[in-house]
Amino acid sequence: MMPPRHLVLWLPDWPVRAAVGAPPPYGPVAVVQANTIIACSAEARAQGVRRGQRRRLAQSRSPSLQLLNADQLRDESAFLPVLRLLEEQVPGVQPLRPGLAALRARGPSRYYGGEAEAARMLIEVLAEHGYPGTRAGVADGLFTAEQAARLGDPALVVPAGGAGAFLAPLPIQVLGDEEITALLDRLGVRRLADFARLGENMIRDRFGERGARLHALAAGADSRPLPTGSPPPELSREVSFESPLSQADQVAFAVRQTADAVFAGLAEASLVCTEVRIEFTDDDGAVSSRVWMHPTSFEAADLVDRVRWQLETLRPAASDVSDRVPAGIVTVRIIPTRTDDSRHHQPGLFGQGPEERLHHAVSRVQALLGHQGVVTPVIVGGRRMADRQQLQPWGDRAPIERDPTLPWPGSLPAPHPAEVFTPPRPITVTAVDRSTPAVDARGVLSAAPAFIADAAVLSWAGPWPLREHGWDPDAAQSAHRFQIVDAAQRAWLVLWEHESWWAEGRYV
């Protein structure tokens, strides 16, 4: 079965367009995130500026370069008028990301007399409304259609069944997976054709399902359908209670049939739910709403657990050990907000893989211990090693508290210690004469470290200043970092702070 035909529209340099707020030409302009160029105008590229360059290198290539900060919300907001404009011409337009939209090609091509004609018509409409330079691609799958749009001038139609031949000469980097493509490039696999010729089983054994998916894309076997839009409203279910319920267990038990009804509707539409919004209305008319996400797809029992966990967050105070909620709940509404084709979540012929079994096991433990009972670590930004870890409940995609891509002056560059002490542990560092070395206000070390934790020091480096909240006298902190290797070949990350030595981490 051939993949469905897709039409992809690409508006080049969209972050630049959204930041400037006007159509091209822009002059030499670039959008910067974490001191790295993520988008630049054609005029900037003509002067040697490229995506992925550091800020200083880009400015050295183009002294008149105008730098603008990245803003994802701004990009998305600026793209909404484009989507509305396209929806007026053809139905079913789906945003893939700001500056890139897709739709099924069959309907527009039949209406406008061909795929190329439909692509040109949409390009002309966008140009008439102030969006010149749009490119379009039509191909058997979303990935191939996107690559065709990037090469189209202004439109490129890949014949049905010709995805593999079209993709073959493209560089391996178009797959967008930096980790895998970097390894393949080191192994001499530099084109999609080279990657596609490798055995599928070998790729799956080495890279898992993630690599197998990229291998299928490289071969032109992109069978992933266009993501569906908002789920139809008839999939939502609501239950009302004649008398308000104030017990969390009562509400969770009462919504079991409602959760089953939600999944019956999804099954009838051959869909699974990957994101859901649960709304409570209490007897005072207040509405509590929260969106829950799932790493694979929800089951009815998962929804009941989410209802109970959400009710637990409404308890009046931590000291109240009762299972009561602040006000009686009169209505519970379950609204699927993101769905996927159920075919993509069917177990394999020989059973589910270890990742799926792990997920079910951890989810059962979480159901017993509660929403916060099972957490996973996420790397966030921070200057101290203990600050760079954020714990979030299993299955959630909580917002990152501190963006790790932002600059954190004083933070430790890679490689990081394998073991981090939270909080830092006191440790003994002494000089040859057994005195304690100190760092003065100018950052000068009084004596070289000779012993650490009663072991001789083989080598050391530092100090590196670590200063935080200097604008706030009450919260200001100042420390100096050192790296020390002892005679047992143990590498330490230590701090001089508060006139004492502290072990922040250990490498081996």
Side-chain angles (χ1 to χ4, degrees):
M1 180 179 177
M2 293 297 295
R5 301 283 287 175
H6 290 109
L7 192 159
V8 170
L9 294 162
W10 177 50
L11 285 72
D13 308 327
W14 183 257
V16 177
R17 166 66 188 261
V20 175
Y26 311 113
V29 179
V31 177
V32 182
Q33 183 174 26
N35 281 324
T36 302
I37 305 299
I38 64 170
C40 58
S41 63
E43 294 84 354
R45 285 193 294 273
Q47 297 179 7
V49 180
R50 295 292 184 270
R51 289 181 56 191
Q53 284 180 346
R54 303 297 291 176
R55 179 201 296 257
R56 288 189 177 181
L57 177 59
Q59 289 176 318
S60 68
R61 299 284 178 86
S62 175
S64 60
L65 183 67
Q66 180 185 1
L67 296 175
L68 302 172
N69 292 327
D71 188 335
Q72 179 71 13
L73 292 178
R74 178 189 63 204
D75 297 348
E76 294 174 355
S77 299
F79 197 50
L80 290 178
V82 178
L83 298 176
R84 296 192 189 102
L85 183 60
L86 292 173
E87 281 284 359
E88 294 175 359
Q89 308 300 320
V90 290
V93 177
Q94 300 293 331
L96 301 180
R97 56 182 175 272
L100 193 69
L103 63 149
R104 292 290 180 92
R106 181 180 179 184
S109 64
R110 294 178 65 182
Y111 185 82
Y112 292 104
E115 294 173 339
E117 290 75 8
R120 283 194 292 267
M121 185 279 302
L122 295 176
I123 291 174
E124 292 172 1
V125 169
L126 291 176
E128 291 172 1
H129 289 79
Y131 300 97
T134 303
R135 298 182 181 181
V138 184
D140 287 340
L142 276 177
F143 174 74
T144 309
E146 179 181 346
Q147 303 312 313
R150 294 182 180 277
L151 296 176
D153 190 17
L156 176 61
V157 177
V158 179
F166 167 75
L167 295 172
L170 299 184
I172 196 74
Q173 286 74 19
V174 301
L175 292 173
D177 191 307
E178 294 184 5
E179 181 180 353
I180 291 181
T181 56
L183 176 58
L184 292 173
D185 185 69
R186 292 196 297 270
L187 296 175
V189 180
R190 297 185 173 87
R191 298 184 307 147
L192 294 186
D194 302 329
F195 188 34
R197 280 195 291 267
L198 299 177
E200 180 180 354
N201 291 335
M202 179 179 66
I203 295 299
R204 180 174 278 104
D205 292 342
R206 176 61 180 85
F207 299 110
E209 292 301 323
R210 172 174 149 208
R213 171 65 183 160
L214 296 178
H215 184 266
L217 293 181
D222 184 8
S223 59
R224 179 182 55 184
L226 187 64
T228 60
S230 300
E234 58 267 20
L235 293 178
S236 303
R237 293 293 185 272
E238 182 179 299
V239 57
S240 300
F241 313 122
E242 294 183 2
S243 58
L245 300 180
S246 57
Q247 296 286 338
D249 285 341
Q250 289 177 337
V251 179
F253 181 79
V255 300
R256 290 180 183 274
Q257 291 185 345
T258 307
D260 290 337
V262 170
F263 279 87
L266 289 166
E268 186 175 351
S270 298
L271 298 173
V272 295
C273 179
T274 59
E275 182 182 277
V276 66
R277 185 168 73 249
I278 298 175
E279 294 180 353
F280 299 139
T281 304
D282 61 26
D283 50 2
D284 295 329
V287 177
S288 170
S289 177
R290 177 169 179 177
V291 174
W292 298 87
M293 288 173 285
H294 200 285
T296 54
S297 63
F298 283 105
E299 297 178 0
D302 297 328
L303 287 187
V304 176
D305 287 337
R306 268 62 177 183
V307 168
R308 184 169 59 251
W309 296 340
Q310 187 167 328
L311 286 169
E312 290 174 354
T313 64
L314 301 178
R315 289 179 176 175
S319 59
D320 185 1
V321 296
S322 67
D323 197 27
R324 298 181 64 85
V325 292
I329 302 298
V330 296
T331 303
V332 178
R333 193 177 186 203
I334 300 176
I335 309 164
T337 55
R338 184 170 297 175
T339 58
D340 194 11
D341 195 313
S342 60
R343 292 177 299 175
H344 306 149
H345 298 263
Q346 295 294 333
L349 180 62
F350 299 102
Q352 298 171 328
E355 292 184 359
E356 187 70 15
R357 294 196 297 270
L358 172 64
H359 167 70
H360 282 296
V362 174
S363 296
R364 291 187 64 183
V365 175
Q366 189 181 40
L368 296 173
L369 301 180
H371 183 225
Q372 300 285 342
V374 181
V375 295
T376 55
V378 177
I379 298 297
V380 297
R383 294 175 176 83
R384 297 175 184 260
M385 297 306 302
D387 296 338
R388 300 192 68 245
Q389 175 177 278
Q390 174 183 324
L391 298 178
Q392 65 182 30
W394 171 262
D396 271 13
R397 300 179 201 169
I400 298 298
E401 296 177 357
R402 298 179 298 276
D403 188 351
T405 63
L406 296 178
W408 293 92
S411 60
L412 186 71
H416 298 121
E419 183 180 6
V420 176
F421 304 127
T422 309
R425 302 176 181 175
I427 193 169
T428 303
V429 177
T430 57
V432 174
D433 58 0
R434 292 296 179 174
S435 64
T436 300
V439 181
D440 62 19
R442 295 186 176 183
V444 177
L445 186 64
S446 62
F451 301 94
I452 180 170
D454 296 327
V457 172
L458 293 183
S459 60
W460 62 277
W464 300 292
L466 176 61
R467 297 183 175 90
E468 300 177 275
H469 306 288
W471 59 89
D472 186 353
D474 296 331
Q477 298 183 27
S478 178
H480 290 82
R481 272 198 177 108
F482 291 80
Q483 290 174 326
I484 299 177
V485 180
D486 63 19
Q489 297 297 323
R490 294 174 300 185
W492 299 85
L493 178 66
V494 297
L495 281 171
W496 170 258
E497 186 176 23
H498 305 310
E499 303 300 320
S500 300
W501 289 94
W502 306 86
E504 190 179 9
R506 186 165 49 193
Y507 290 89
V508 291

